[in-house]
Amino acid sequence: MSIKHCSRKTGDGWPVCVLFLLVWLLVPLDAARAAPAGPILIAHVAPTTGRFALHAEADRRGAEMAIEDFNRNGGVLGREVVLISRNPGMDGKQAAQVAEELIVRNRVGFMVGAIASNVAASMSAVAQKYGVIYINTNSSAPSESVENAHRSKFVFDASGANFNRALLKYALKDRKTRRVLQLTEDNEAGRSNAAAMRTYIAEFGGEVVGEVVAPENLADPVEVLRKVAAIPADVVTLVISGDNQIKLFSQIDPKVLEQQAWIVGEVDWEELYPAPGTPRPLFGTTWAWNLDTAGTREFVDRYRKRYGHTRLPWPGDVTHAAYLATRALLAAISKAGTTDSHAVILQLEQYKATATERMQHDAAWMDPVSHHLQQTVYIARWRPSATQPERGIEILGRVSPEQARYEPEKNTRLEPLAETPRYIP
């Protein structure tokens, strides 16, 4: 249009050129609004090297299966969900740097994973700074939902405090003497769980007679076991995880486990299946592949169809937790109708799931005060079988979410939502 057309007026007195410019400016904006947004980027963060490498793989598989569910039906809010993986290592400072890079450079929408509680604590502090939602799929330090809790973090694994409340009651119930020795790994999960257990030991009439601290990098457990044997005790509580746990029990005489009550707050499938000949005492878990619960058989069949040829041909509690946690996140985004972190946080705080949806015996719900999922926990034992290791796990009983609850979570203090940055990926 030439400049002379500006002298022409419309019936309303507007110059033709002005209307033309308005239309020219508005059309691209409307087109941009109508254009489909890019994929929703989720970062799976877990230590893929070192003693939790197998756990990290199992955790990622759960997230993958959940994302497949949604992408098969058109994604979330019409956007494809894409999973990327990062190894944050086991060092807290390095984990914080990884989180910063994922948010600032990669512009991830959300983060899932953890495995190691110190990694979760470091990464979630960075996520909170930016308002990025962080889903702790699998780490069991009670501190994750108390002193290290954040408004933008949600914890979906049961903590050692949940398991140990049930296990200590079971172990101390009928004993004439109740001397308890604590065997603790020198890290955040070890210290946090040991502290939580002392309350329960006193509640059930026990007495702590000593504590042996094992190094986080446990090269040889012989010296640790020598210290344990030197302290007379009726019950030994154990907070050691990953490959360290496999090393430790490979050196324990099964007769010792018959003479003393040893309990392990949590034993993951990834610590059992790879060592089928290694004995285990009583332990806690959130799920097992052979549970007689609705949905379990279908989930196992689906897993085995995809991963049955791998080192972990059967799914365990880590995969189960990551699958349901990632599903909960994606469902919350869908219900919110936006990726706005504030809106999604409000949806996650209202998360509830039936027993059928959880493949457990009780309904589960997210505690809006602590951001920790309250769920069924199971008491189990392991009967080593080198020929059919998948048959080794045996569920002895279960504890409801109300009975397993960790009381200090009632006093958790989260950052106000108004003071949490808004993040819209």
Side-chain angles (χ1 to χ4, degrees), residues 159-225:
S159 76
N162 301 135
F163 295 121
N164 284 312
R165 182 178 181 86
L167 291 166
L168 281 163
K169 184 177 181 180
Y170 186 93
L172 293 171
K173 182 175 57 176
D174 298 321
R175 290 188 172 272
K176 293 181 180 179
T177 57
R178 300 173 180 177
R179 300 166 299 176
V180 180
L181 172 64
Q182 294 187 292
L183 177 51
T184 306
E185 199 167 62
D186 190 14
N187 55 28
E188 176 62 29
R191 291 186 290 271
S192 179
N193 276 299
M197 273 192 283
R198 291 179 196 120
T199 301
Y200 301 139
I201 292 168
E203 179 182 344
F204 302 127
E207 175 191 6
V208 177
V209 295
E211 182 178 21
V212 174
V213 178
E216 187 170 29
N217 297 314
L218 185 61
D220 186 353
V222 172
E223 179 61 20
V224 169
L225 291 172

Side-chain angles (χ1 to χ4, degrees), residues 260-277:
Q260 286 178 312
W262 285 54
I263 63 173
V264 189
E266 181 179 19
V267 179
D268 292 320
W269 183 243
E270 292 68 27
E271 292 148 359
L272 294 170
Y273 193 81

Side-chain angles (χ1 to χ4, degrees), residues 378-394:
Y378 297 90
I379 298 174
R381 65 181 173 187
W382 178 251
R383 295 185 177 280
S385 172
T387 55
Q388 288 186 303
E390 71 277 5
R391 303 287 177 183
I393 192 167
E394 181 181 358

Side-chain angles (χ1 to χ4, degrees), residues 354-417:
T354 65
T356 297
E357 290 168 333
R358 293 287 309 172
M359 298 177 250
Q360 295 173 325
H361 283 83
D362 302 288
W365 72 93
M366 182 62 64
D367 185 332
V369 174
S370 66
H371 282 192
H372 184 206
L373 185 73
Q374 306 301 311
Q375 62 180 301
T376 311
V377 298
Y378 297 90
I379 298 174
R381 65 181 173 187
W382 178 251
R383 295 185 177 280
S385 172
T387 55
Q388 288 186 303
E390 71 277 5
R391 303 287 177 183
I393 192 167
E394 181 181 358
I395 302 298
L396 302 177
R398 67 178 186 270
V399 178
S400 71
E402 293 82 5
Q403 293 173 315
R405 187 181 182 87
Y406 183 42
E407 289 300 312
E409 289 181 3
K410 292 182 178 180
N411 300 316
T412 297
R413 293 290 179 265
L414 301 172
E415 301 89 346
L417 186 61

Side-chain angles (χ1 to χ4, degrees), residues 5-17 19:
H5 287 108
C6 283
S7 61
R8 293 171 54 192
K9 300 289 184 74
T10 66
D12 295 325
W14 284 89
V16 171
C17 63
L19 287 178

Side-chain angles (χ1 to χ4, degrees), residues 28-108:
L29 289 175
D30 289 339
R33 292 191 190 101
I40 295 175
L41 197 61
I42 296 180
H44 178 259
V45 288
T48 56
T49 54
R51 64 193 183 92
F52 285 122
L54 202 56
H55 296 68
E57 172 63 22
D59 193 270
R60 183 181 59 79
R61 291 178 183 184
E64 283 179 343
M65 291 174 71
I67 289 171
E68 285 175 1
D69 288 348
F70 282 80
N71 281 341
R72 193 181 300 116
N73 294 302
V76 176
L77 306 180
R79 298 167 64 180
E80 181 186 9
V81 183
V82 174
L83 186 71
I84 65 171
S85 296
R86 291 291 184 274
N87 179 10
M90 292 291 289
D91 178 75
K93 290 183 179 179
Q94 179 182 331
Q97 291 172 358
V98 169
E100 188 91 24
E101 180 180 308
L102 282 168
I103 296 167
V104 175
R105 184 183 300 177
N106 298 105
R107 293 292 297 171
V108 298

